[in-house]
Amino acid sequence: MLESAILAGNARLDSAASGGPVVKRAPPADEPEAVRRIQQALAALGFALPRSFPAGPAGAPDGRFGTETHEAVLAFQRREFPRQPDQWDGRVGRNTLARLDRLLPRVAPEESVELQPLSVMAVTNCAVRAPA
């Protein structure tokens, strides 16, 4: 399972990370949401994708795995697997996703934990410290 804030929670990416079909350049077009997450991950790691982010870097990516995304994936693979040219295929599969996931920030624990309401007993028994 992918754990980074950008990649986690997408079934298509989880499948590719587990050894299923890789996410690759169109045609045929791949799942746009999976491609958007890959584009966001690459941008977060410093790869410029100006055509893939038509509204600018603060906007949403287009979700198309075209030439620009393919080239950014290749650049990422060359940087991260410098002595493994067999990894430089421009496809996003198990190894590329594992490396992306490892380099990206994780989902914050408080986002994944369901908070329970405090009981009256817990509130009345807590100590309050004055700031130092």
Side-chain angles (χ1 to χ4, degrees):
M1 275 305 248
L2 298 166
E3 298 177 2
S4 66
I6 294 173
L7 300 175
N10 181 273
R12 173 70 180 98
L13 293 178
D14 282 339
S15 171
S18 299
V22 298
V23 181
K24 61 184 174 66
R25 188 174 176 178
D30 214 312
E31 180 191 311
E33 182 56 29
V35 176
R36 276 187 206 95
R37 289 173 183 241
I38 291 166
Q39 290 169 321
Q40 289 172 327
L42 291 165
L45 294 173
F47 293 89
L49 295 153
R51 290 188 311 269
S52 298
F53 286 79
D62 63 12
R64 288 185 233 138
F65 202 128
T67 302
E68 183 178 67
T69 301
H70 176 78
E71 292 297 323
V73 170
L74 277 170
F76 172 79
Q77 291 170 330
R78 286 184 185 115
R79 183 183 85 185
E80 294 300 315
F81 307 106
R83 294 188 177 101
Q84 297 174 285
D86 60 315
Q87 295 296 317
W88 308 344
D89 60 6
R91 297 171 178 213
V92 182
R94 179 186 304 207
N95 295 335
T96 300
L97 280 167
R99 186 64 56 95
L100 282 168
D101 196 49
R102 192 181 88 206
L103 295 172
L104 293 166
R106 299 278 177 253
V107 175
E110 61 273 6
E111 291 177 24
S112 60
V113 174
E114 186 176 327
L115 298 177
Q116 300 296 321
L118 292 175
S119 68
V120 174
M121 180 66 93
V123 173
T124 57
N125 288 334
C126 67
V128 177
R129 290 185 180 173

